[in-house]
Amino acid sequence: MLETTETVRSEYEPVQGRIAWIEQFTDQDKLYVISLPDDVELDHDPGQFVELFVPGVGEAPFSISSSPTKDGPLELCIRAVGNVTRALDSMEGGDPLGIRGPYGTGFDPEALAGDDLLFVAGGIGLAPLRSMINYALDRSGEFGDLTTLYGCKEPAEQLFPEELQRWDDSEEMAFYETVDQCPEDQTWEGREGVITELIPEAEFDPETTTALVCGPPVMYRFVIESLQEQGLADDHIYLSLERNMHCGRGLCGHCQINELYVCVDGPVFNYPEVRDKSEAEV
């Protein structure tokens, strides 16, 4: 939970932060950089989320995009699709926000230590995976080979473009990128095709590799099948499932998958945990 230097706050009491700055990536997607009070530490794991409160509107859960290896403001990549996010879309630097959390079960860097890591991110799914990707890059000596696959529908939907270029230029991580297609009114010199087409091309050893996957629900089944075809065992696959989360504490039931609650038991699951859950749709 968010803590001050003197006391642990109630989990239902938001900390007041302020928007430090905003970076727009697409027509719907923005990066919100949020400063917290000097005496507050987020202390999150990669893959966790926070509840973001917009005064006068309400609150909603959002994945943390920043790595715990970085001090400073909190970073959230948010798509404007609902009441809270549309209200956010009209806000500016200096505006106040409330923050609760962090919540949920994220990726466990200690459990992944020594593994080769294969990140598979589709669309907005890059937002939560970015936290673990940058964690692994900042502490590359703790892991084996690093590989990231990223796909989006078209070039205009690309997130973190400058960072993607740094990853592409990096000697510490192999980076593969594709778009489903490039409309005639856009420019793209990279690959066209779905993200699963990248998996056979990525050079990884299934015996030593763990895959971390996040993207739209329709993507999971095909990505999992492709990883299995490359010899990756089911228990070497982790999924970040963030559908329908609301309260963040397993009280409202919006995110329930059979007997599991995504906001508490996840959002990160080892694939065998949800493999046979009909409501998981993976």
Side-chain angles (χ1 to χ4, degrees):
M1 296 300 138
L2 286 162
E3 297 184 4
T4 69
T5 55
E6 297 181 355
T7 183
V8 178
R9 303 176 66 92
S10 164
E11 65 173 294
Y12 298 107
E13 180 184 359
V15 168
Q16 181 170 300
R18 290 190 178 276
I19 298 175
W21 72 86
I22 301 170
E23 182 176 355
Q24 182 141 12
F25 294 138
T26 75
D27 290 341
Q28 290 184 297
D29 304 306
K30 294 179 179 179
L31 180 69
Y32 294 83
V33 181
I34 301 170
S35 60
L36 300 174
D38 290 340
D39 63 343
V40 171
E41 297 181 2
L42 185 59
D43 193 26
H44 69 288
D45 293 327
Q48 286 190 296
F49 65 95
V50 294
E51 290 281 345
L52 183 67
F53 174 73
V54 178
V57 180
E59 68 176 5
F62 298 103
S63 297
I64 303 167
S65 292
S66 44
S67 168
T69 56
K70 300 290 188 184
D71 294 328
L74 166 68
E75 297 180 359
L76 306 174
C77 183
I78 297 175
R79 176 167 292 173
V81 292
N83 292 336
V84 173
T85 54
R86 291 193 182 100
L88 270 172
D89 193 47
S90 64
M91 297 180 77
E92 301 176 346
D95 287 344
L97 295 167
I99 301 289
R100 291 196 295 118
Y103 295 132
T105 301
F107 299 105
D108 184 350
E110 291 186 5
L112 297 171
D115 292 1
D116 299 332
L117 300 183
L118 173 66
F119 301 97
V120 185
I124 194 68
L126 181 60
L129 278 188
R130 175 178 179 256
S131 179
M132 186 63 209
I133 292 171
N134 282 329
Y135 183 103
L137 285 171
D138 289 340
R139 298 186 176 178
S140 57
E142 299 178 10
F143 306 96
D145 295 335
L146 305 178
T147 303
T148 292
L149 315 182
Y150 174 56
C152 56
K153 290 183 178 179
E154 58 186 54
E157 294 193 5
Q158 187 186 58
L159 303 178
F160 303 99
E162 295 181 2
E163 192 159 8
L164 296 181
Q165 186 60 57
R166 291 197 296 272
W167 292 350
D168 192 29
D169 294 338
S170 173
E171 296 182 357
E172 297 181 331
M173 180 173 70
F175 179 71
Y176 301 79
E177 184 178 12
T178 187
V179 298
D180 290 354
Q181 60 181 357
C182 180
E184 293 182 358
D185 62 344
Q186 297 181 34
T187 300
W188 178 251
E189 298 180 355
R191 175 173 184 141
E192 292 186 47
V194 295
I195 193 169
T196 51
E197 296 176 3
L198 298 177
I199 293 174
E201 296 184 10
E203 297 180 0
F204 64 91
D205 182 348
E207 297 297 323
T208 60
T209 298
T210 297
L212 286 60
V213 184
C214 189
V218 69
M219 183 189 90
Y220 287 94
R221 182 172 301 173
F222 299 104
V223 167
I224 291 168
E225 289 177 355
S226 184
L227 292 171
Q228 291 170 332
E229 289 171 359
Q230 298 304 308
L232 203 66
D234 286 358
D235 62 355
H236 284 213
I237 301 173
Y238 285 84
L239 310 175
S240 180
L241 307 178
E242 302 184 326
R243 293 164 294 175
N244 302 320
M245 288 197 302
H246 181 65
C247 73
R249 306 305 295 144
L251 302 175
C252 69
H254 279 73
C255 67
Q256 189 170 358
I257 296 177
N258 295 86
E259 76 279 9
L260 300 174
Y261 292 88
V262 174
C263 64
V264 177
D265 301 303
V268 174
F269 294 93
N270 191 217
Y271 176 48
E273 294 180 273
V274 295
R275 178 179 52 203
D276 300 320
K277 309 297 183 186
S278 60
E279 296 175 11
E281 298 180 352
V282 296

